[in-house]
Amino acid sequence: MDELTDYRGTDFYCDVALRRVGDLDVVAETDQVLAFRHTRPYWRDHVVVIPRTHLASLITVTEADEPILRDLFAVVRRVAAELTADRGAARVLTNLGEYQDSKHLHVHVASGPVLD
């Protein structure tokens, strides 16, 4: 089993991605944030942006997390701007509750059609 594509736990980002950054296709990073091409893309161009520190979701963050969130959204903005410049459009989304497969705050930045 390849954890990058077959992971079945609840926090892919802490359990796998942050431990195997060298195996990811990184598109941007800071001390607090990592952006990489999704290991199981849903759209033609699909980047995931995550905090390097575990934050469960957008609705569980606190004021103490504000510096991380500022950095996270700065990276999201940069990746979205690059995709929009290259492809003409981009979508930005995060999932919550049952829609959130990995219980680690992450933002999808994507463009293009859904892959088969």
Side-chain angles (χ1 to χ4, degrees), residues 35-99:
F36 59 94
R37 298 201 183 283
H38 202 295
T39 59
R40 293 182 304 185
Y42 183 74
W43 295 282
R44 179 190 61 213
D45 300 293
H46 190 169
V47 175
V48 180
V49 185
I50 64 168
R52 291 180 186 269
T53 300
H54 180 80
L55 299 175
S57 83
L58 185 63
I59 59 177
T60 64
V61 295
T62 67
E63 287 183 27
D65 302 316
E66 187 175 319
I68 297 169
L69 292 175
R70 285 180 194 228
D71 201 20
L72 178 83
F73 284 104
V75 173
V76 167
R77 180 180 177 275
R78 186 169 61 228
V79 171
E82 289 171 6
L83 263 180
T84 301
D86 289 346
R87 301 294 191 173
R91 60 183 60 82
V92 175
L93 75 99
T94 190
N95 294 306
L96 301 168
E98 292 179 23
Y99 293 151

Side-chain angles (χ1 to χ4, degrees), residues 13-33:
Y13 303 108
C14 278
D15 294 344
V16 180
L18 290 169
R19 293 179 181 181
R20 294 181 57 184
V21 173
D23 294 332
L24 302 173
D25 185 0
V26 175
V27 298
E29 62 183 314
T30 69
D31 290 342
Q32 300 183 96
V33 175

